[in-house]
Amino acid sequence: MSEPINANPKVLSLDELPTRGQAGEEVFGDASSRKSTFPHSALDDAFPNTSIYESYSSLLVLGEDGLSDANMDVDVAPDLSSGESESDDQSDIEVHEPIDEQEIYDLISTISDPEHPLTLGQLAVVNKPDIYIVSSKDRNGRHNKISNVIVEITPTITHCNLATLIGLGIRVRLERCLPPRFRIEIKVKKGTHQSESQVNKQLNDKERVAAACENQQLLGVLSGMLATCK
Amino acid sequence: MPIKQIHSIPAHVDRIWNLAPHPRLPLLAAATSDKSAQIYSLNTYFPVAQLDGNHKRSIRSVSWKPSSGLKSEAVLATASFDGSVGIWIRDSDQHSPNFGSTGESGNVGLEEWEFVAALEGHENEVKCVDWSCEGTYLASCSRDKSVWIWEADEDNEEFECLAVLQDHTQDVKHVAWHPNEDLLASASYDDTIRLWREDDDDWVCSGEIIGHRSTVWCIDFDKTTTKGKARLVSCSADETVRVWSRESMTGNTATRDIPSTFRSDPISENWQQEAILPQRHSGPIYAVSWSGQSGRIVSVGADGLLVVYQEVKTGEWTVIAEEEDAHSVFEINTAVWSKKWKSTSPHREEGDTEKDESKKGEEEIIITGGDDGNINIWEVTFQK
């Protein structure tokens, strides 16, 4: 890559990026809109084994009154142990780990951009409000075991031909880190890329992704991008 | 739900991409992401052979040559992401007459299979292979957007490429031959299905099926109607399963003696959508199979759901069985109907050939393979 495709991208400083610490203010701010669009977005946290830490942030997302919910941490803990016995039907599959949008963000925002010495978080290619976790219920009202993680990426420029590579990097990172019950969907955020539908189709074609991951040259590039992940 | 899992084979690989039961022998071939193909006995569900060391990348698809000559002949084609097609033959000297029972002791005594030919030509990943009904032709398709038709010599060692068909505008995901005509169908990432026939020594595109709104992952012909309308089923990333039927044909076999240059009607066929099957899946549907025995259709996909459909009357289908999380939380890549070789009923003796007509459906099984590396065997049970 001799000529960068976008030589002067907008860069966020590290302290502008969302972290777990500031989740309170930030998540609380958009909780109402998130709730209406994706009513089940944080329901994974309701599964057993939830740490107090994670239930804190999930309560903020779900709760009408964030502050008082936050004070209920202590009350949540006993429920968790009893919850485990109630979910025998799921324990044979795997213990559900609480995974929220911040955790997904933390997994992928530290991926390096293929052409800049910056992370996808710093370049605002990956943004926390564009990460959705959707779980659905079956006809009996039980949670499906399968949840969807949707990540919408914002390429730095609309003709960025590295969008597919960036999307692939995110997919590979999530496939390696998330338990198999997650279905990962990577999309270009609407209106941010000139060949949006082609990129989306390619990124979500299982066979193409699998074949790409057997290409040593491409794997080399990907592992370079993922080397900055913690 | 009148469907039950009767067995699960842990194949211990990352991903089962494709499964193919032999049309006449109790053998099951599995294409896996660990660059090998495995052969299992459908009598014992034990491994019979491991076909490895030749493909450099994942094996995506497997297909058995319909056997005609030697009774023991077993010829398998494998399609790989390494861009080649492999041909494997069971060494006929070593097999015992009741070879289906070999492998009783697990991995001990696996058969030796010979890798006899590598078919090179595709520019990149080969995604599917299929032998024609009489084993005359082998079709392969690839991400290079082409479909190749090969012809084998008697020993299955020399293959000649008869045609390279390049009408699709994107990767070709699947190819399937008609059960008794030399008619080939191909499904593509370009959302279409195309049909191909031989016309005066040239293979031509004789029809195009447009209707799916996303990648068509898999197709299978109706094997129950040998007369009348040809039909095929397709499944897609658009979350639908559709049945198509051939409404008319021109330039068909009757006029085949006349060279195409003197014929007024070019070879073509008109296919129309007959039905969209009841929609159950959420997410891409990766495989469909049309039973030659019961006429039922099975579909599986990314949502882990296994759905069995039955035709109530022409063009009208109903769901008769449904199984959620058929491979626990994993995606299911392949499903295929097979004759039931192993009896699960204690009252019926092995080799009892008398078939109770009302139990016809119980003589067949569904075999599925998923990202969990398991091969699951299912039976649709009757509800009265």
Side-chain angles (χ1 to χ4, degrees):
Chain A
M1 271 167 276
S2 47
E3 275 303 299
I5 291 162
N6 184 1
N8 292 304
K10 185 176 163 245
V11 180
L12 300 175
S13 72
L14 283 174
D15 51 14
E16 286 178 86
L17 303 180
T19 61
R20 181 71 72 192
Q22 65 183 105
E25 302 94 78
E26 205 209 61
V27 173
F28 189 40
D30 63 358
S32 55
S33 62
R34 179 81 52 84
K35 199 181 165 195
S36 57
T37 325
F38 294 98
H40 306 299
S41 64
L43 280 175
D44 289 304
D45 297 320
F47 283 111
N49 233 21
T50 314
S51 72
I52 290 171
Y53 190 37
E54 257 111 9
S55 46
Y56 170 71
S57 63
S58 77
L59 285 170
L60 284 176
V61 176
L62 284 173
E64 300 293 333
D65 181 353
L67 287 175
S68 64
D69 282 347
N71 293 330
M72 286 165 61
D73 282 356
V74 185
D75 299 331
V76 173
D79 286 338
L80 300 174
S81 50
S82 65
E84 254 165 37
S85 58
E86 281 166 22
S87 62
D88 276 348
D89 58 327
Q90 314 207 327
S91 58
D92 59 333
I93 306 305
E94 64 180 83
V95 177
H96 281 279
E97 294 161 27
I99 287 167
D100 63 7
E101 286 85 351
Q102 179 70 47
E103 193 161 346
I104 304 290
Y105 181 82
D106 291 343
L107 285 172
I108 60 177
S109 61
T110 49
I111 298 172
S112 298
D113 183 84
E115 69 169 3
H116 295 287
L118 296 163
T119 66
L120 298 182
Q122 288 173 297
L123 288 166
V125 172
V126 169
N127 300 288
K128 201 180 147 202
D130 297 329
I131 297 171
Y132 308 100
I133 299 178
V134 187
S135 64
S136 52
K137 288 183 178 179
D138 64 17
R139 269 166 254 133
N140 306 320
R142 290 178 311 166
H143 293 296
N144 275 342
K145 289 171 189 159
I146 294 167
S147 299
N148 297 292
V149 174
I150 302 163
V151 178
E152 293 181 348
I153 58 172
T154 308
T156 54
I157 39 170
T158 57
H159 54 277
C160 181
N161 59 14
L162 294 171
T164 320
L165 180 60
I166 291 169
L168 186 64
I170 295 171
R171 173 175 282 278
V172 168
R173 171 75 173 154
L174 291 178
E175 279 179 0
R176 288 178 186 174
C177 297
L178 294 180
R181 68 184 185 86
F182 284 94
R183 297 291 180 269
I184 300 152
E185 193 178 335
I186 314 291
K187 294 197 272 192
V188 172
K189 196 171 179 175
K190 216 169 170 42
T192 63
H193 200 275
Q194 58 187 12
S195 43
E196 203 173 292
S197 58
Q198 286 104 301
V199 175
N200 289 349
K201 192 170 187 179
Q202 209 169 341
L203 282 176
N204 296 295
D205 183 300
K206 176 183 196 169
E207 191 179 52
R208 282 203 177 190
V209 169
C213 290
E214 292 187 30
N215 180 320
Q216 287 306 321
Q217 202 188 341
L218 189 58
L219 269 186
V221 177
L222 286 176
S223 63
M225 288 166 64
L226 300 185
T228 47
C229 296
K230 285 155 206 156
Chain B
M1 253 178 287
I3 184 162
K4 65 173 183 197
Q5 186 180 322
I6 54 176
H7 197 78
S8 183
I9 306 172
H12 302 299
V13 291
D14 291 345
R15 174 180 280 162
I16 305 278
W17 271 120
N18 185 228
L19 293 166
H22 193 282
R24 214 171 40 79
L25 304 169
L27 294 174
L28 175 71
T32 71
S33 58
D34 72 351
K35 305 175 183 128
S36 73
Q38 283 91 37
I39 314 291
Y40 293 89
S41 158
L42 284 173
N43 280 329
T44 63
Y45 302 135
F46 280 120
V48 169
Q50 167 99 3
L51 279 47
D52 54 12
N54 289 87
H55 283 300
K56 294 177 191 73
R57 294 194 186 172
S58 287
I59 296 182
R60 176 66 180 93
S61 165
V62 279
S63 175
W64 293 101
K65 183 175 185 175
S67 48
S68 47
L70 286 168
K71 205 182 171 208
S72 64
E73 187 186 60
V75 180
L76 186 76
T78 50
S80 168
F81 283 169
D82 69 10
S84 71
V85 173
I87 306 293
W88 308 74
I89 294 183
R90 181 172 53 199
D91 190 342
S92 52
D93 294 337
Q94 52 158 1
H95 97 272
S96 53
N98 55 343
F99 61 88
S101 59
T102 55
E104 288 281 8
S105 48
N107 282 331
V108 184
L110 287 185
E111 296 177 357
E112 289 294 322
W113 286 54
E114 200 186 343
F115 182 81
V116 292
L119 282 54
E120 312 267 358
H122 280 295
E123 280 171 33
N124 44 43
E125 300 97 76
V126 185
K127 306 206 159 177
C128 187
V129 273
D130 195 38
W131 291 93
S132 66
C133 56
E134 285 169 347
T136 317
Y137 306 113
L138 178 71
S140 62
C141 63
S142 160
R143 185 163 66 85
D144 68 11
K145 304 171 190 175
S146 69
V147 175
W148 289 46
I149 293 174
W150 310 80
E151 192 174 32
D153 73 343
E154 275 193 9
D155 300 325
N156 298 298
E157 284 173 14
E158 298 287 331
F159 282 78
E160 188 193 347
C161 176
L162 301 178
V164 176
L165 309 166
Q166 293 179 299
D167 297 37
H168 278 297
T169 60
Q170 293 290 340
D171 353 357
V172 190
K173 295 291 196 188
H174 197 92
V175 281
W177 289 94
H178 188 277
N180 49 45
E181 293 175 25
D182 282 331
L183 167 69
L184 180 72
S186 60
S188 168
Y189 186 91
D190 68 12
D191 305 352
T192 70
I193 300 161
R194 284 178 180 273
L195 296 138
W196 313 88
R197 307 185 150 268
E198 196 178 9
D199 182 21
D200 192 27
D201 287 341
D202 276 332
W203 284 82
V204 294
C205 181
S206 59
E208 188 181 13
I209 299 175
I210 299 169
H212 278 297
R213 294 196 185 89
S214 190
T215 301
V216 187
W217 278 104
C218 182
I219 42 181
D220 196 19
F221 278 98
D222 177 3
K223 298 162 207 99
T224 56
T225 52
T226 46
K227 288 174 194 164
K229 272 185 193 173
R231 296 197 293 175
L232 65 84
V233 63
S234 60
C235 64
S236 159
D238 72 7
E239 304 183 358
T240 64
V241 178
R242 302 175 194 231
V243 171
W244 313 85
S245 65
R246 184 167 62 198
E247 298 301 316
S248 61
M249 279 176 82
T250 57
N252 62 17
T253 46
T255 56
R256 227 174 142 166
D257 297 338
I258 309 166
S260 58
T261 39
F262 295 105
R263 261 199 336 245
S264 54
D265 53 339
I267 199 159
S268 80
E269 26 195 291
N270 175 21
W271 287 69
Q272 294 295 325
Q273 181 173 303
E274 190 176 273
I276 296 185
L277 270 49
Q279 292 185 30
R280 287 292 193 274
H281 289 282
S282 51
I285 308 172
Y286 292 131
V288 278
S289 177
W290 198 324
S291 166
Q293 200 170 327
S294 62
R296 292 172 182 157
I297 288 173
V298 60
S299 67
V300 290
D303 58 3
L305 192 66
L306 167 73
V307 186
V308 183
Y309 315 81
Q310 182 158 298
E311 192 165 30
V312 186
K313 61 181 193 206
T314 303
E316 201 181 308
W317 292 78
T318 180
V319 172
I320 57 160
E322 220 170 330
E323 181 77 13
E324 280 177 21
D325 306 317
H327 280 257
S328 76
V329 295
F330 292 85
E331 301 195 352
I332 310 176
N333 301 312
T334 178
V336 63
W337 293 95
S338 168
K339 176 184 167 176
K340 183 178 168 185
W341 294 89
K342 185 189 175 111
S343 173
T344 46
S345 159
H347 307 296
R348 229 178 310 159
E349 304 214 334
E350 293 262 10
D352 181 3
T353 49
E354 249 178 84
K355 277 180 193 160
D356 182 351
E357 199 54 33
S358 68
K359 288 187 174 172
K360 205 175 166 190
E362 294 181 26
E363 298 303 318
E364 62 180 355
I365 52 175
I366 296 165
I367 311 172
T368 58
D371 281 354
D372 56 354
N374 286 346
I375 298 168
N376 291 346
I377 318 278
W378 306 86
E379 188 173 34
V380 179
T381 53
F382 261 86
Q383 268 189 331
K384 291 238 163 140

